[in-house]
Amino acid sequence: MQSNFHMRFIGIALIVLLLFPAAASAAQPYDTFYISHGTGGAGTRTYWMQDVYILGPTAPLSGEQTLNKPSDLFIARNDHVFIADKGNNRIVETDDQGRWIRSIGDQEGKGMLKGPEGVFVRDDGTVYVADTGNQRVAVFDEKGTFVREYGTPTNDLMPKDNFFVPIKLAVDARGVMFVVSKGSYQGIVRLNPQGEFTGFFGGNKAAASFIDRIKRQLFTKEQLAQEDLKRPPEISNITIDKDGFFYTTTFGSASDQIKKLNARGVNRLSGLKTVTMPESDQIADIAADESGFFYVLDRKQQTRRDGMISIYGPGGTELFRFGKTKKDPQQRGVFSYPISFDIDSRNRIWVLDSDLNVMQSFERTVFGDAVLTAAADYYVGDYKKSKENWALVRTMNELVSLTYLGLGEAAQKEGNMESAMAYFKMSFDNEGYSEAFWTYRMEWIEAKFVYVFLLAVILWLLYRYVINRVLKRFSNQLPSSIQRVTEELADGWRTMFHPYDGFYRMKGKKLSIFSLLAVLVMVMLGKLASLYWTGFIFNPINLSEIKLGREIALFFAPLATWVVANYLVSTVKDGEGRFRDVLQASIFSLMPYAVLIGPIVLFSNILVLEEGIIVSSLTSVMWLWTMVLFVVNGQVIHNFDFMENMKNSFITLCTIGLIWIFVIVSTGLTFNVTDFIYQLYKEVAVLG
Amino acid sequence: MDKAMGRRRVILVAAGAVLILGSAAWFIVWLLTDTVSHRLDIPDYTVSYMAVEGSEPWKPGQEEGQGFARAAENDRFRLSVHPDNGQMKVMDKKQGVKWSSNPSPEQVKTEKVAGTLRTNMESPFILEYFEQSKIQRQVMNGLDPSVKRTITKLEQGVAVHYDIAKVNLSFSMYYVLTDDGLEVSIPAKSIKESGPYRILSIESLPFFGAATGEESGYLFVPDGPGGLIHFPLQKELVGKGYNQEVYGPEITNRISDSDNSNEVVMPVFGMKKGDQAFLAVISAGEKSSIIRALPAGIVSSLNSVHAKFVYRQEYDRRLSLGGRSIRVFQEDPLLQDRTVRYLFLEKEDAGYVGMAKRYRQYLTDTGQVPQGPQPSVGGLVPLDLTLIGGDSNDYGDYRYERATTFKQAEEIVTELKKAGIDSMRITYKGWESKGTINPDKRFSPESKLGGGKGLRAFVEKAHGLGYEVDLAVDLVKANPTFSKLPPKSYGIRGVEEDVLLRNDQYYLNPGITYNLAMDMIRDAKEYGIDGMRFSGLGGLLFNDYNPAYNYTREDTAYLYENIQKRAQEVLGHSSVLTGNLYSLKYTGEIHTLISDPSYSYAVDETVPFYPIVLHGSIPYSLTPGNMRDEDGREFLKAIEYGAIPSFVLTYESSRSLMDTFTWGIFSSKFVDWKDDVIREYKSFNKLASVQGEPITDHYRRSEGIYVTVYGNGVSVTVDYNRKEFHVGKEGDGA
């Protein structure tokens, strides 16, 4: 509904917040944020909270063991960490605490590595190295003995102009190698276990701009040949998860920088749900854990409410972000050039910094474990199992809105619709709410239908035989001024159905100011009701965020401009109507709104999302009806014929447009002036 | 015609009348508007300068070898000075230990560096200066050929006067023996600048006692509650050593980027070398000093720690609104005496525990920390309970969101009393109307919580149960959008005299804060409030370059201290957050004492130096129990550090606060935390017997097991591996 824009606006406004939380205890040298996603236009927000990951040990590598411009990190099945220690021409293996075990590939001989930039270890312990300097993939066994190498594939399929410079690689369960080769814009080089090239995999598409497309239409072949070739951005890194999905990153690109590919190379992530900020083009690496969550390492310098590592749910919904990169860091856990990371079986993350030559670990907190376990169960649909963990999460943190989604789903499964609805409302999930409400409503009707029916009958009888009569008698004794208003309002009611007749009678008549006010008040109340009482399903926002003054102003501004514009235009076009006529007729044309908004608000409270068609069509009817009345009133009060009136109405609309454009342009033009004056005022009066 | 004229006249007259009435009304409102006075009811802070003395030239005394000559002597120490380079040595006569200002010539010979880095090692100071209208920092030391040294005699030492002809700068360094050590000063009056060169900073005795790493030991730095940098180096060196401004960077420079590093809360550093140690206290000019520790491998193969005195700030000059800026240096220097007191320790006292005990004694001797234990109710460890009333929504309509009404607060304390919590101090936060964005910073309880009546009823209720009630209030920061206090006249200003806005907030001039606090304290008394917690007073210092005041950090600290003094006199109690050292004199409790390190690459180990200094004098709490990152470990740390239990609670769900200005309270609902509060209260009260006792020892028994020993012999053993703790007599074992 109209709140969409509003909410998005707020989502952005949030970035400008204070820096430190109320109960500041800067325990870790970085902040942790939760990314709250509400459905139905509730927007995306980040909330500061306790850490999900805290600093763990730093790898104690010193002396001979010190890393030199390391480039890749891989954690094997047994939680041993393998590092492509590029500057030292070797692979380093450490234990799960980062303590040195051995180096691989630094012995003279065939296995000697040269500037290796990538490493991968299969479940059986076989080590695959992207031996960049030697332009090959080198394979070592679990003891570190050289086994074999794969050089440039020789079969015909490989394009001739393609150089094989492996920088990163992943190997699937069958032993098929997926090699990221430097300069290979066609995609990842896929090699079968025999080392034969079997095609490119998961390549990016070239981003053709609008101009490019025009050029392609207009330019000759010769001209096109002279244009710079638009090549798709190269894939920069690859990770394989336990289910055999590949995650690829593309560095230096602001779109498609993260892809989750299936075995056929099809991207399974259709749009990540992240914060509405410019997305980073410096995604360095991706890691996937056992539960299908994936972690994204972002190398760009962080600003407020940003993080170095983001944790995404399996479907690509960003949940948490933490960590920090900055220039010249002096604190552990703050990096200057994080290049690679991975996660072990106990969910410890190891991050490699190629500038500081440091390998730092992060460990999950109790809270992090509870919330991510609960979320994992939630995402696979095991709501019952996740319930317990959500309850635990809730005692530690009430801000994670996913908790209430989880608890809501669980309550719904248990048939406790009322609390399910309450939970969905807390997490601003109108879809879940709608589902729970459907059941709730059905149960309610089953239980209470008879009473409701009886009540309705009684009310009707009461109205028919008592209230109606009293009113009639009473209305005869009303003072004439009030009687006049009621009569005029009754006329307004008739006008809705017989507009020509009604507006004709209204024309030239001086209606009571109170009648006009009464209609405006009804419209106003209707607007307020629609703002505040529209059912949650159709208006899933936090009501305290409604800026009332603005809403009202924006609502009545079109009416005011119509009155003015219509009067001006029809004066020029020899319309008969005076200003008063235009005003009166325009206000009475709002009658359908005043009458129908009530039922719309009522329906929005008793219908579910699937039945939303009733609400939306009723809303459409309401606006169409109002429009028709506006058109008709123009014809009648100015005494135009049909075509004349259509023209006049059209010109009025154009005038409204012009007035608004004028207002917008002049505000825009004077903005600098007003801003200058405002800044001057601020400088003088406030800031000095 | 006439009629029309008449009507027009009437309209004119009416308009005139309206105008006059309107402006009169505006004027009256303006007159009646409650403005905060700038006038203080206490005398201004006065700076007293060291006298520049010693006109009598010094005659080198007995030769001490290597060109050093005896300069002064007392019962314990002997001071000798090298007339040719200004180097200095202190000899502990009983121990026969020498502490020298610089490494020996033999040691310097083995160093690999050259140029200034090398001569720095042989100099008693490193001077940073700049040429006016230029923006480069330049470095010079005492071995520059253009340096002329004049040594004059002092009563218990010597003054070395340096005249640096090349840059037309001169200053003196005083070496004076005291009963327990050495005092090194640079008197403000001795600094002379003529010509185009200006002093930026002076590092005094940068290599005092510098350790080669042959003997093992550590550098002590005030990182978090206390940090150690061990030598010889155990790990690969990352970063540039430890380099931190005392009490945090100066915010008026606008260049401090906010990393989450915990700032220095006490102006002290030290070194342990073998069975000898020194503790150095910056006793003058500490508020504009930097503590530097350089492990071997950064500028030399030596491990050293020293103080760097800042005379001119570097700041960002804006070239356009919100646009580019350049780094420039402040014009006028901060002329203050600068003194470091070196206190020497030996044998069992040579360690961080000995240093902390020595520092505690120094602080109580100089009256910077109240003497003796604070009384507690029935010898119990009190619970530090913070209740958040609510705050204004940061979105849309800025509506005040309730989190705990006064009535609900009554319910909370009644339940806690029933559950057996007998000693508790309640601090109410967000109670003022509109909460954090309270426009006039006056005493005005929020009506949605129950207003003044409700507050009074709550206070009476709490008193009836034997509890004390404090109010928390922020009289330092204000929001320019909502505040009625105009930033131009009440906000602090940057070096270029423009109002300082930071994260959409401005900072009130300390004098204004003082006057607002006086009114607040007076009004709080009426309501029976027992104390105040003024946030900002214990954790943030700044200059105010408003030409009308020109407050330095010293002035700010002085005014803040007087606020606490008054609160303590009138109400009986005052507490602070963080607990910077200057704020302790009139403090009854430190809420959220700094307990986490800054995770600097340089610092190897975090030790409870500050708790050892404070325990027995001022109670302190660490991170509130419901705001911990790692519950188990942080709870045990609070036990190990001798803290008191603390919680921040609300009656409603903490979701009521999530979109308000008081954000980041992620879990605080009373019903969810009640059991934890009671359990922790009981756990902490196992330490009731050590309340008011000083910590006499602290050590690591084995990996993950730490022991804290108190003055009455009770020891607390904390086992992080098994997540438990044990209270017993020393020697019991655990």
Side-chain angles (χ1 to χ4, degrees), chain A residues 14 332 398 544 684 686-687, chain B residues 395 397 488 499 599 654 659:
Chain A
L14 159 120
R332 284 197 295 132
E398 292 189 280
S544 72
V684 173
V686 183
L687 303 177
Chain B
Y395 302 96
D397 52 6
K488 190 185 170 185
V499 174
Y599 296 96
S654 44
D659 290 328

Side-chain angles (χ1 to χ4, degrees), chain A residues 24-25 75 102 127-128 138 180 226 314 323 325 410 443 536 575 583 631 641:
Chain A
S25 99
I75 299 180
R102 64 162 72 89
V127 182
Y128 287 68
V180 179
Q226 281 180 354
T325 45
E443 286 167 358
F536 175 74
L583 183 70
V631 172
D641 65 30

Side-chain angles (χ1 to χ4, degrees), chain B residues 455-571:
Chain B
L455 175 63
R456 211 183 285 268
F458 168 67
V459 171
E460 270 166 31
K461 177 91 189 172
H463 284 174
L465 299 171
Y467 301 144
E468 280 125 344
V469 180
D470 291 1
L471 292 179
V473 66
D474 185 345
L475 299 180
V476 175
K477 280 184 276 181
N479 190 318
T481 315
F482 306 99
S483 181
K484 281 188 189 162
L485 309 165
K488 190 185 170 185
S489 32
Y490 294 151
I492 66 161
R493 305 202 188 179
V495 187
E496 300 195 303
E497 293 173 17
D498 52 336
V499 174
L500 179 83
L501 283 176
R502 218 165 154 252
N503 305 326
D504 305 323
Q505 293 198 301
Y506 68 100
Y507 295 78
L508 290 172
N509 170 283
I512 297 301
T513 301
Y514 176 85
N515 280 332
L516 288 170
M518 291 306 112
D519 293 349
M520 188 70 77
I521 292 165
R522 183 197 60 214
D523 296 338
K525 180 77 186 164
E526 302 254 302
Y527 282 77
I529 300 295
D530 305 294
M532 298 296 294
R533 185 197 292 162
F534 293 108
S535 61
L537 262 51
L540 184 70
L541 278 187
F542 41 72
N543 296 323
D544 180 4
Y545 293 99
N546 187 335
Y549 314 106
N550 260 327
Y551 281 142
T552 63
R553 287 175 147 209
E554 304 262 345
D555 295 293
T556 306
Y558 166 76
L559 287 165
Y560 286 177
E561 180 184 288
N562 276 285
I563 292 173
Q564 289 190 269
K565 186 179 174 200
R566 180 71 65 92
Q568 215 168 57
E569 282 167 2
V570 177
L571 305 171

